Amino acid sequence: MTAPTSSTSPVLPALAAGARRWFPGVAVLRSYQRAWLAKDLLAGIALTAVLAPTGMGYAAAAGLPVICGLYATILPLLVYALLGPSRILVLGPDSALAGLIAATVLPLAGGNTPHAVALAGMLALLSGAIGVLGGLARVGVIANLLSMPIRFGYLNGIALTVLVGQLPALLGLPSSGGSLVEEAQALVREIARARVPPAAGAIGAGCLLAIVALRRWKPGLPAVLVAVAAATGLSAGFDLAGQAGVPVVGDLPEGLPQWRFPRATIEETLALLPGALAIAMVSLADITVLSRTFAKRSGQAVDSSQEFIALGVANIAAGVFQGFCVSGSASRTPVAEAAGARTQLTGLVGAGCIALLLVAAPHLLSAIPRAALAAAVITACLALADFAGTLRLWRLRRSEFAISLVCMFGVALLGVIPGIFAAVGIALASFVWRSWRPYDALLGHVPGVPGFHDISRHPDADVIPGLVLFRWDAPLFFANAETFREHLLRAVAQSPGTTRWVVVAAEPVTDIDITAADMLAELDRDLHARDMDLVFAEMKGPVKDQLKRYGLFATFGHENFHPTIEQAVDRFRAAYGTDTGAR
């Protein structure tokens, strides 16, 4: 007897496919190459030198204890390593979110620090839930609105923002904490008054030059790690913090994050919802642009909806382990890339190093000069910017160059969401304008060339007396319906002799709305009153179906729809016996 086929045989492949879909990091580990290991380990160590102080700094900027910044760094990196589709994207506290968190949480906390931590955790839970729901609903398709000019503008705007924000730290000056313009003005005033501390400024400039030089002449070395380690050695060896007033990171808080579900009243939770939605929008915009940018650089493809899910779960994890909202990092991801990261093992190493420091050596990073960290962030963001791509837009398409500039300065001056929304709005308005005033052409026959072509581009083309061939290069909808009518009637008026047929070359017309359909019906009556026929050629099947639903297909007559322009011309000649004549 033949053994029965196992009913579970298709289950294992399905489970494997599901694991690859929902846990991309596991699939990467299964195909991991040994040659990547050393690069990922070094990149993770180099990343640690930036993760710890920036996480602490963004926590302070959000009005929370600095330890929360480290907790919000560890857990999201672990989660994203499993769920994230990008191989090197770094998640963590972000400057774009710090202000939103502070504005949402601090008024509700009323100066109670433990309660502020709980509210920040609940805010992370809410924004994380929004991200997960958005990913499951496949709203990642919205990322298709982020065109190349918008991506260039976003990256350049982030680079400009981080550059101006890090220059005070690079020179050993305090940050004003204001907007981009206020920060720049304060920096200029401090430099003009010669208030730059010599030792801190020298360390910052030296690290900046060292990183640039090592990347140029010794690309195999981890430039960021070498420069930061050298600056730390000088700082500790000569006690620059005490002797020269060089700002350093200082002692790290001790202890690993513990599970603690954040407590908030229903009223507080409802009050947090608008902030959670705003943070989710900023985070999703950040991670969408960043993941696509780095995926393009590495020749990979990413699933934007899976990015949303990974980001959402990472925020939920941060929320229940005493952290706060996180996003894709535009400053730390380039550090990982520049240090040679190949996979998310880099993030795991970074998270592990921070956890190890909190447990075993919380004072190890205390002597790192903040100027050295600023140099690392600045060089990373300069690598992130794409000024060459922006200049290419200037050469090839000035309108898209303008969109890129709007996005760049919008992100830098207004924030991520207003800047991107402004650029998307202008891009869509530009598209509507092109559809509102599209190109149209009169067609004629060019001797020796098959088909019919635009007579404005082919002055030697011949037209057929009594026949107007009119091409419309856009969908027909409410905004351009009257323009279509005016241009077609003008072509008829300018046609030599008596016009018998008006043939619309409708191949570019992909849609006809109700307003345009009514216009065509009125145009058909007008032409019939003047002894002319309205004829269509090369109209797509779905557009014909629309005319059938509107009841116009029968009105125009089945015989007035032709598969090709040539067939329409042949029928015209058969009806009127007209030979091709000169214009």
Side-chain angles (χ1 to χ4, degrees):
M1 179 181 295
T2 303
T5 302
S6 173
S7 60
T8 61
S9 57
V11 173
L12 291 179
L15 289 175
R20 288 192 297 270
R21 165 69 178 85
W22 298 107
F23 299 95
V26 176
V28 172
L29 290 177
R30 291 184 63 184
S31 60
Y32 195 85
Q33 299 180 21
R34 184 176 299 179
W36 297 345
L37 182 59
K39 295 181 178 180
D40 279 341
L41 291 176
L42 286 175
I45 295 171
L47 186 61
T48 303
V50 180
L51 288 174
T54 52
M56 295 164 62
Y58 292 146
L64 301 170
V66 293
I67 188 66
C68 295
L70 299 180
Y71 293 163
T73 299
I74 296 173
L75 271 301
L77 288 175
L78 299 178
V79 169
Y80 192 83
L82 292 175
L83 300 179
S86 174
R87 291 197 172 191
I88 64 169
L89 189 69
V90 177
L91 258 60
D94 187 69
S95 58
L97 303 185
L100 288 172
I101 296 170
T104 305
V105 168
L106 297 186
L108 295 175
N112 186 329
T113 299
H115 192 45
V117 173
L119 291 175
M122 179 58 71
L123 186 65
L125 285 177
L126 293 173
S127 64
I130 293 172
V132 171
L133 291 175
L136 293 175
R138 309 298 294 175
V139 299
V141 296
I142 297 176
N144 294 331
L145 293 176
L146 303 179
S147 63
M148 182 182 296
I150 292 176
R151 292 199 295 271
F152 287 163
Y154 167 83
L155 295 173
N156 295 338
I158 289 293
L160 178 61
T161 303
V162 174
L163 174 65
V164 174
Q166 291 295 319
L167 280 176
L170 182 77
L171 301 176
L173 296 170
S175 173
S176 70
S179 65
L180 180 77
V181 175
E182 293 169 342
E183 190 79 70
Q185 290 174 340
L187 179 63
V188 171
R189 286 195 300 267
E190 294 296 305
I191 294 175
R193 295 169 182 172
R195 293 182 178 178
V196 177
I203 285 179
C207 284
L208 191 64
L209 292 174
I211 294 172
V212 172
L214 287 174
R215 286 179 178 174
R216 181 175 179 85
W217 288 293
K218 294 291 183 181
L221 291 178
V224 172
L225 181 60
V226 170
V228 172
T232 304
L234 288 173
S235 174
F238 293 95
D239 187 23
L240 295 181
Q243 299 298 322
V246 174
V248 295
V249 169
D251 292 339
L252 289 175
E254 300 181 24
L256 291 176
Q258 302 293 321
W259 168 278
R260 185 177 300 166
F261 192 87
R263 294 185 178 181
T265 65
I266 295 178
E267 291 78 10
E268 289 172 335
T269 302
L270 293 176
L272 291 172
L273 272 175
L277 181 60
I279 287 171
M281 292 175 64
V282 172
S283 302
L284 297 180
D286 271 344
I287 201 169
T288 295
V289 177
L290 284 173
S291 63
R292 285 198 168 195
T293 298
F294 287 100
K296 184 178 180 181
R297 290 184 180 183
S298 60
Q300 300 171 356
V302 294
D303 183 344
S304 296
S305 295
Q306 181 64 25
E307 288 283 12
F308 294 178
I309 293 173
L311 177 62
V313 176
N315 271 293
I316 292 172
V320 297
F321 280 95
Q322 305 159 62
F324 51 88
C325 299
V326 299
S327 181
S329 173
S331 59
R332 281 152 285 176
T333 304
V335 171
E337 182 190 45
R342 291 293 180 270
T343 69
Q344 281 296 335
L345 181 60
T346 296
L348 292 177
V349 172
C353 287
I354 293 177
L356 184 62
L357 287 172
L358 289 176
V359 173
H363 306 296
L364 186 61
L365 300 180
S366 61
I368 295 179
R370 292 188 180 273
L373 297 175
V377 173
I378 287 173
T379 53
C381 284
L382 290 178
L384 179 69
D386 199 334
F387 298 113
T390 306
L391 290 177
R392 177 172 172 264
L393 295 177
W394 168 263
R395 293 194 305 269
L396 300 181
R397 195 175 176 96
R398 300 288 172 87
S399 61
E400 296 198 6
F401 172 79
I403 291 172
S404 184
L405 286 187
V406 168
C407 187
M408 173 181 170
F409 289 108
V411 167
L413 299 176
L414 304 177
V416 173
I417 286 297
I420 289 180
F421 275 16
V424 169
I426 292 175
L428 292 177
S430 175
F431 170 77
V432 171
W433 174 260
R434 292 194 299 270
S435 298
W436 186 9
R437 310 289 294 184
Y439 187 80
D440 59 69
L442 290 175
L443 306 182
H445 175 69
V446 180
V449 180
F452 293 84
H453 306 277
D454 185 351
I455 63 174
S456 68
R457 303 178 68 87
H458 298 275
D460 58 333
D462 295 328
V463 297
I464 302 172
L467 177 65
V468 171
L469 294 175
F470 180 78
R471 191 185 70 210
W472 181 257
D473 291 350
L476 266 173
F477 65 112
F478 64 93
N480 64 21
E482 192 56 35
T483 303
F484 173 91
R485 173 189 172 88
E486 291 175 359
H487 287 202
L488 186 144
L489 291 178
R490 184 172 60 197
V492 171
Q494 295 174 352
S495 177
T498 301
T499 300
R500 298 295 185 181
W501 272 24
V502 178
V503 177
V504 177
E507 194 273 336
V509 179
T510 56
D511 184 48
I512 299 177
D513 70 1
I514 292 293
T515 303
D518 290 344
M519 177 276 298
L520 288 176
E522 182 180 348
L523 177 64
D524 182 59
R525 290 192 296 269
D526 186 13
L527 293 176
H528 270 295
R530 299 160 61 181
D531 293 328
M532 302 180 201
D533 288 333
L534 180 62
V535 180
F536 298 91
E538 299 182 342
M539 180 175 282
K540 292 179 171 62
V543 182
K544 290 181 183 178
D545 293 339
Q546 290 177 330
L547 294 182
K548 291 176 182 177
R549 286 196 299 273
Y550 301 151
L552 291 180
F553 193 80
T555 300
F556 295 150
H558 180 273
E559 68 281 2
N560 286 329
F561 290 86
H562 300 275
T564 66
I565 297 175
E566 287 78 6
Q567 291 184 16
V569 171
D570 289 344
R571 180 167 168 252
F572 174 80
R573 285 173 170 160
Y576 292 95
T578 306
D579 296 326
T580 301
R583 293 175 57 197

